[in-house]
């Protein structure tokens, strides 16, 4: 069940997750929220000249 050892482990894991999520949100820039999609003409796999391959 919920023993003191398991409670301690859960508290440490929760602390790690909270610190990781806080640090990720703290350093997020507005540029990070821009769409990260390739346009079909710019994607290396679909270029006609195949310079990227």
């Amino acid at each position: 069940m919920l023993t003191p050892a398991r409670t301690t482990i859960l508290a440490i894991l929760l602390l790690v997750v909270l610190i990781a999520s806080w640090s990720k949100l703290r350093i997020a820039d507005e540029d990070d929220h821009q769409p990260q999609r390739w346009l079909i003409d710019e994607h290396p796999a679909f270029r006609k000249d195949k310079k990227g391959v």
Side-chain angles (χ1 to χ4, degrees), residues 12-45:
I12 291 171
L13 288 174
L14 181 63
L15 183 65
V16 168
V17 168
L18 287 173
I19 291 172
S21 63
W22 173 77
S23 65
K24 177 65 178 169
L25 289 175
R26 185 174 57 89
I27 61 171
D29 295 329
E30 288 186 21
D31 295 338
D32 292 341
H33 300 291
Q34 298 299 323
Q36 300 294 320
R37 296 183 180 165
W38 287 83
L39 294 176
I40 193 72
D41 297 333
E42 295 175 357
H43 193 280

Side-chain angles (χ1 to χ4, degrees), residues 44 47 49-53:
R47 292 176 60 186
D49 56 358
K50 300 284 185 184
K51 287 182 184 175
V53 179

